């Protein structure tokens, strides 16, 4: 091979290597320069995603000691600090979108998207008199009609949809039968599928739907076992929900000939953390007795944040919220969410946003 051909070969190899390197996902950017780069985040769902929409006079999320880790006082998040929405926004390189209730007071944050999630709500009406998911999507439709956002905004956006099981809690409270539970799960997933289609039709480029967490491992279920074991029956039902969810999402992607819809593997992310015996080398702690919450009411019927008629607190609080995966009977602490966010289960799911 003569010198000219040798130089030409090296030059081609260099270009090939450079181009291949550009296509690789790197830790700093996570995404190739040719990939979709979301500019806004729109959020729908419940308390796992709510950042301040519930009414102050009715939601515990506005009571002390909620928010003690971040921002240092109650601000409507159902935790001592940050929740799922905050971590997904961080992953996208965005600031947390403004809560719908505060859109006029914080108009400067509209450019990051908007959070329509309300704690306690579901795809159907629940025991909480706040907007269900259908109504939440209607809020976005109205903002489009009012030109607060445009179709172009939606084309460069991601939607996060959180479903943490309030429909199922309502079903149980209303004395739904065990025999009817599978059929009810199917109806929830069917309604949810319609909601996802509607969000897609409004223009959202990518739609991330949370899988149901292991409901039998929530403190409200494990308290009967002294926080030592999960309720496997409830976890089985959660798995059924998730199986139907994956099928629905796969069908939606086939129908739209796209990959717009995907599931965030919240179930296995929770499971990984709750069953961890020792801390991972990177950012995922092992929690001592992870099923026991930090903040609980002092007796049945009382909750974290409860006070009596004289304003005396009727709850107990752990000395260090960072040592607990769960903040209260249902919701992870900020450290719990950080651990979930750090699992390979969730990180691999989030990669589909690109």
């Amino acid at each position: 091979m003569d010198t000219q051909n040798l130089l030409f070969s090296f030059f081609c190899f260099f270009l090939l290597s450079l181009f291949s390197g550009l296509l690789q996902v790197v830790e700093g950017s996570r995404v190739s320069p040719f990939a979709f780069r979301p500019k806004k985040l729109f959020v729908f769902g419940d308390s796992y995603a709510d950042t301040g929409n519930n009414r102050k006079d009715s939601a515990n999320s506005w009571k002390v000691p909620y928010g003690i880790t971040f921002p240092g006082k109650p601000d409507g998040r159902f935790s001592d600090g940050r929740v799922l929405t905050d971590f997904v926004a961080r992953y996208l390189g965005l600031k947390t979108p403004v809560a719908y209730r505060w859109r006029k007071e914080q108009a400067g944050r509209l450019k990051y998207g908007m959070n329509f999630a309300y704690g306690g709500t579901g795809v159907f009406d629940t025991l909480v008199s706040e907007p269900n998911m259908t109504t939440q999507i209607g809020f976005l439709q109205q903002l489009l009609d009012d030109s607060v956002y445009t179709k172009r905004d939606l084309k460069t956006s991601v939607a996060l949809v959180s479903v943490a099981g309030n429909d199922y809690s309502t079903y149980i409270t209303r004395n739904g039968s065990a025999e009817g539970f599978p059929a009810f799960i199917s109806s929830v997933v069917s309604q949810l599928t319609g909601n996802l289609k509607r969000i897609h039709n409004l223009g959202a480029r990518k739609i991330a739907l949370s899988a149901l967490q292991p409901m039998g491992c929530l403190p409200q279920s494990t308290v009967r076992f002294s926080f030592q074991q999960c309720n496997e029956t409830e976890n089985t039902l959660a798995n059924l929900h998730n199986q139907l969810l994956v099928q629905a999402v796969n069908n939606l992607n086939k129908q739209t000939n796209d990959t717009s819809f995907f599931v965030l593997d919240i179930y296995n992310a929770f499971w990984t953390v709750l069953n961890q015996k020792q801390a991972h080398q990177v950012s995922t702690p092992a929690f001592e007795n992870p099923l026991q919450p930090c903040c609980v009411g002092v007796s049945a019927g009382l909750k974290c944040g409860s006070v009596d008629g004289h304003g005396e607190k009727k709850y107990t609080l752990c000395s260090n919220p960072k040592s607990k995966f769960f903040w209260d009977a249902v919701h992870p602490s900020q450290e719990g969410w950080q651990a979930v966010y750090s699992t390979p289960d969730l990180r691999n799911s989030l990669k589909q946003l690109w």
Side-chain angles (χ1 to χ4, degrees), residues 25-47:
V25 174
V26 296
E27 181 61 30
S29 65
R30 305 190 195 94
V31 62
S32 86
F34 311 111
F36 166 57
R37 292 177 180 270
K39 296 181 179 179
K40 290 178 175 59
L41 175 62
F42 293 96
V43 185
F44 307 89
D46 47 40
S47 57

Side-chain angles (χ1 to χ4, degrees), residues 207-211 242 245-246 249 261-266 349 352:
I207 302 171
L209 172 63
S210 69
N242 290 337
L245 203 61
V246 169
V249 165
F261 307 91
F262 67 95
V263 176
L264 291 178
D265 194 1
I266 295 290
S349 297
Q352 297 174 83

Side-chain angles (χ1 to χ4, degrees), residues 224-242:
R224 72 192 71 173
F225 307 119
S226 301
F227 306 115
Q228 296 301 309
Q229 66 183 67
C230 300
N231 183 317
E232 293 306 321
T233 299
E234 292 181 21
N235 284 349
T236 298
L237 293 169
N239 272 313
L240 174 58
H241 169 99
N242 290 337

Side-chain angles (χ1 to χ4, degrees), residues 178-212:
E179 296 78 14
F181 220 127
F184 182 67
I185 291 174
S186 293
S187 68
V188 168
V189 174
S190 177
Q191 177 63 37
L192 186 53
T193 302
N195 290 339
L196 296 175
K197 286 181 181 178
R198 190 175 171 204
I199 295 169
H200 183 260
N201 290 338
L202 289 177
R205 176 74 175 271
K206 290 279 188 176
I207 302 171
L209 172 63
S210 69
L212 198 60

Side-chain angles (χ1 to χ4, degrees), residues 93-353:
L94 301 173
K95 291 189 177 180
T96 298
V98 63
Y100 176 73
R101 182 177 292 278
W102 306 105
R103 65 194 184 282
K104 295 179 180 178
E105 291 83 352
Q106 300 178 26
R109 290 174 56 197
L110 293 177
K111 60 185 176 182
Y112 306 117
M114 192 169 293
N115 188 344
F116 302 95
Y118 282 76
T121 64
V123 299
F124 300 123
D125 288 337
T126 62
L127 301 175
V128 174
S129 57
E130 297 284 10
N132 65 24
M133 192 176 292
T134 299
T135 305
Q136 293 172 26
I137 299 168
F139 292 155
L140 176 57
Q141 176 69 71
Q142 187 61 54
L143 293 175
L144 286 167
D145 293 343
D146 294 341
S147 299
V148 175
Y149 293 111
T150 66
K151 283 283 187 179
R152 185 173 182 178
D153 289 326
L154 271 293
K155 290 295 183 184
T156 57
S157 73
V158 165
L160 170 64
V161 180
S162 171
V163 178
N166 291 316
D167 292 289
Y168 301 130
S169 299
T170 301
Y171 179 84
I172 293 169
T173 302
R174 290 175 175 168
N175 297 316
S177 69
E179 296 78 14
F181 220 127
F184 182 67
I185 291 174
S186 293
S187 68
V188 168
V189 174
S190 177
Q191 177 63 37
L192 186 53
T193 302
N195 290 339
L196 296 175
K197 286 181 181 178
R198 190 175 171 204
I199 295 169
H200 183 260
N201 290 338
L202 289 177
R205 176 74 175 271
K206 290 279 188 176
I207 302 171
L209 172 63
S210 69
L212 198 60
Q213 75 281 6
M215 292 186 66
C217 296
L218 301 182
Q220 67 180 10
S221 296
T222 63
V223 62
R224 72 192 71 173
F225 307 119
S226 301
F227 306 115
Q228 296 301 309
Q229 66 183 67
C230 300
N231 183 317
E232 293 306 321
T233 299
E234 292 181 21
N235 284 349
T236 298
L237 293 169
N239 272 313
L240 174 58
H241 169 99
N242 290 337
Q243 290 167 13
L244 295 178
L245 203 61
V246 169
Q247 293 174 14
V249 165
N250 288 340
N251 288 335
L252 284 172
N253 284 326
K254 289 178 182 177
Q255 291 169 16
T256 57
N257 196 28
D258 202 352
T259 56
S260 295
F261 307 91
F262 67 95
V263 176
L264 291 178
D265 194 1
I266 295 290
Y267 187 98
N268 283 314
F270 269 57
W271 194 256
T272 294
V273 177
L274 293 174
N275 288 279
Q276 198 164 276
K277 301 304 181 184
Q278 58 185 8
H280 288 179
Q281 291 183 349
V282 182
S283 68
T284 309
F287 297 94
E288 183 178 353
N289 194 1
L291 300 179
Q292 185 175 33
C294 175
C295 186
V296 293
V298 297
S299 61
L302 297 174
K303 302 178 180 179
C304 179
S306 292
V307 295
D308 64 16
H310 303 288
E312 294 293 324
K313 67 178 186 180
K314 292 297 178 180
Y315 59 87
T316 60
L317 186 66
C318 67
S319 59
N320 180 18
K322 288 186 176 182
S323 69
K324 297 294 185 181
F325 177 78
F326 284 108
W327 166 246
D328 60 15
V330 176
H331 308 97
S333 63
Q334 174 175 293
E335 196 71 11
W337 277 122
Q338 172 67 56
V340 166
Y341 173 70
S342 300
T343 61
D345 310 284
L346 196 63
R347 301 290 284 197
N348 289 334
S349 297
L350 286 168
K351 288 177 182 178
Q352 297 174 83
L353 285 169

